[in-house]
Amino acid sequence: MPDWIRIASTGECPPGTSIERVVEGRMVALANVDGGWHAIDGLCPHQGGPLGTGHLCGTTLTCPWHGWQFDVATGRHKLSATVRQAVHEVVERDGELFVRLAPDGSAGASLP
Ligand code: FES
């Protein structure tokens, strides 16, 4: 079972925004959806864009490079059922955010 790793303080990611962090060598996009925390793999599967620096609207995160969109709650691409980012667990403790990384290779898998 992977460990919980500090990723940011809550103040670094205000509601309605996302940020990019590197956790154990993996890019992670951390999003604050009205106080609900979500984290997905931050490397866009299209051409490697930085998802965490994209625009967040509701749970939809738009890649800043070419506009691919992902749901930060599920990791799913908004149009393609076969493209999905890994989703990482997030918890908040005393103003600090911690993630537990999903296994490597879980991104891009098709859901049933
Ligand atoms: S790199 Fe993300 S949409 Fe192209």
Side-chain angles (χ1 to χ4, degrees), residues 30-72:
L30 175 70
N32 181 343
V33 180
D34 296 328
W37 301 100
H38 302 278
I40 63 174
D41 269 358
L43 193 66
C44 181
H46 178 219
Q47 292 184 357
L51 287 178
T53 65
H55 177 72
L56 182 69
C57 183
T59 61
T60 300
L61 181 59
T62 302
C63 179
W65 284 8
H66 313 102
W68 281 27
Q69 295 184 312
F70 296 87
D71 188 311
V72 294

Side-chain angles (χ1 to χ4, degrees), residues 13-36:
C13 188
T17 68
S18 63
I19 59 174
E20 177 182 83
R21 290 290 184 270
V22 177
V23 179
E24 295 195 336
R26 294 171 68 178
M27 284 179 61
V28 175
L30 175 70
N32 181 343
V33 180
D34 296 328

